[in-house]
Amino acid sequence: MRRRLTVNLGLKILAFFIAVFMWLIVVNIDDPVTEEVYNGVPVSVINEEVVTTTNRTYQVVDNTREVNVTVSAKRSILNKIKAGDIVAIADMKELSLGSQIPIEVTIPGYKYEKAYTSPGNLQVKIEDEAKNNFPITPTTLGTVREGFMLGELKADPEKVTLRGPESVINSISRVVAEADVSGLSGNADIEARLILYDANNNVIDQTLLANNLGKEGVSVEVKLYEIKNIPVKLDTSMITAAKGYRISAVNVEPREISVTGDEEDLEEFDEIRIPAEDLKIMELTERTERVVDISPYLPEGVSLVDENADSVVVSVSIEQPGVKNYEVSTSSITVNNLSEDLEITYGAVVDLEIQVRGPEEVLKVFSTARKVSIDLKNYAVPGTYIVPVAVELPEGCTLVNSVQVEVILEKKAEDKEEEMDGGNYG
């Protein structure tokens, strides 16, 4: 047995080494050493007291707080490494040239050939430390629940002390506490996010700043007001028509006004009533409109949702016996012979008033639908024109007054573009 083992011993040893060598080759071919780049690895700074104990501070510049790390290791290892496994450290004790700190990289728990960062140094700016007090302006994000609107906002605390690099402190223009009020339906204190802005409205990085807010942070006290739609009522007792005429209708637009206030202030407020003395219009012979300011009729503690919606329009329609008034929307006017290269819009008037005289039984059933038209065959050039309105009337009926409408004719959008394009080539 021993003889068999020792016969050709040299060849057997050589074969063993050849086998080991081949195994190493196969292993390296199958799992070679290669490189992988991991982006956005954060750099931690240690031994900051080297700077901060001398009433100075620093800020990271040139976007070097995050670096790219190149790792050289076997492919099987690289497949396991994640960016979060990589530790990049800048030791303030290694500060050189007053602005550069070498970045050291380690990957705990993994075997690798080498690892290095790009850039290789953390760039810092050393400067004096400063602090200042700033008022906090409360603001909101999102939309409160339907039927409510934002009222008063108050930041808690109302000011903050900030400490950090002098250049950063001096660049702060305003400090905001932003609270998310999405879906809010009642008064609340909401935890807020502190945001700093410079004079150009850019957000300032707070990484190297300290504040006195502590663990509680900042909050915003939000007060909500309820929204209520209140109908507008009219006392028309002092509106009269001239002899031989009669009032056919008195209308107000808008019919409802949106107001806001505390729930108790709105509870008993059910209508906005315009008194007769503010609607005194006597001896009317034609349709008349009056603009009325409604703000004096709002009770204390109640205000308009839209500050600009403080007026209503009261319109009084007048008829003569045997005469009936019809209101026709400009959108329902039939337009004939409009040039193909033009488009039409109307002036400020939305509704036309058409007065028709005729037998009462005929006027009761007469409708202006699709019977009001304008003819634009003589209006082929863009411009603003006063155009007569034609009304198709039943037999025995006539118009009391001629009806006209202001029309604005413009070239179609595509024709304008073609003209512009043609002008460019010219």
Side-chain angles (χ1 to χ4, degrees), residues 60-327:
V60 179
V61 297
D62 297 338
N63 298 318
T64 55
R65 177 149 310 262
E66 290 187 349
V67 293
N68 299 330
V69 178
T70 302
V71 181
S72 177
K74 289 184 178 297
R75 180 183 296 162
S76 59
I77 299 297
L78 293 176
N79 289 339
K80 297 176 182 178
I81 296 175
K82 299 181 178 63
D85 299 323
I86 302 173
V87 178
I89 293 177
D91 190 343
M92 193 66 80
K93 289 181 179 180
E94 303 297 324
L95 179 65
S96 62
L97 302 177
S99 63
Q100 297 184 355
I101 309 173
I103 302 172
E104 298 294 332
V105 177
T106 57
I107 313 174
Y110 293 96
K111 185 178 180 180
Y112 55 95
E113 298 288 327
K114 60 180 179 179
Y116 59 92
T117 67
S118 176
N121 295 304
L122 185 74
Q123 302 292 329
V124 296
K125 179 182 178 182
I126 309 295
E127 57 183 306
D128 291 335
E129 186 178 69
K131 70 175 181 178
N132 203 351
N133 295 321
F134 297 91
I136 300 176
T137 302
T139 186
T140 60
L141 176 71
T143 305
V144 299
R145 186 172 295 180
E146 187 176 357
F148 296 88
M149 68 176 292
L150 286 172
E152 300 168 5
L153 302 176
K154 183 180 179 182
D156 182 22
E158 296 182 344
K159 64 179 181 178
V160 62
T161 300
L162 296 172
R163 177 171 51 83
E166 186 176 37
S167 61
V168 178
I169 295 296
N170 291 340
S171 71
I172 299 173
S173 175
R174 60 190 176 97
V175 177
V176 166
E178 184 181 74
D180 189 348
V181 297
S182 299
L184 194 64
S185 60
N187 299 338
D189 289 331
I190 301 176
E191 184 178 343
R193 183 168 69 103
L194 196 71
I195 308 175
L196 314 181
Y197 292 96
D198 64 16
N200 295 319
N201 213 35
N202 298 314
V203 176
I204 296 173
D205 183 10
Q206 301 180 53
T207 306
L208 294 175
L209 297 178
N211 61 55
N212 65 336
L213 297 177
K215 293 182 179 179
E216 294 184 358
V218 62
S219 62
V220 173
E221 181 182 328
V222 181
K223 186 172 184 179
L224 292 190
Y225 290 133
E226 189 176 348
I227 295 176
K228 187 175 181 180
N229 293 327
I230 304 296
V232 180
K233 302 294 184 179
L234 309 175
D235 184 342
T236 61
S237 59
M238 298 184 74
I239 300 176
T240 62
K243 187 176 181 179
Y245 295 82
R246 68 184 179 200
I247 299 171
S248 60
V250 180
N251 296 308
V252 60
E253 286 295 337
R255 297 180 181 179
E256 288 187 333
I257 299 294
S258 294
V259 298
T260 185
D262 290 329
E263 184 178 358
E264 55 270 22
D265 292 326
L266 294 177
E267 189 173 0
E268 297 183 359
F269 183 42
D270 295 323
E271 65 179 29
I272 298 173
R273 176 163 291 275
I274 302 177
E277 54 267 24
D278 289 346
L279 294 175
K280 184 177 181 181
I281 318 174
M282 313 293 285
E283 301 295 312
L284 295 177
T285 60
E286 59 182 14
R287 176 186 170 92
T288 302
E289 291 185 348
R290 173 166 290 183
V291 178
V292 180
D293 181 6
I294 59 168
S295 53
Y297 313 125
L298 301 179
E300 187 176 353
V302 176
S303 59
L304 298 169
V305 171
D306 181 358
E307 295 179 355
N308 297 318
D310 58 354
S311 297
V312 296
V313 178
V314 177
S315 57
V316 183
S317 297
I318 301 298
E319 288 183 350
Q320 291 178 277
V323 175
K324 188 173 181 180
N325 294 347
Y326 301 88
E327 285 192 354

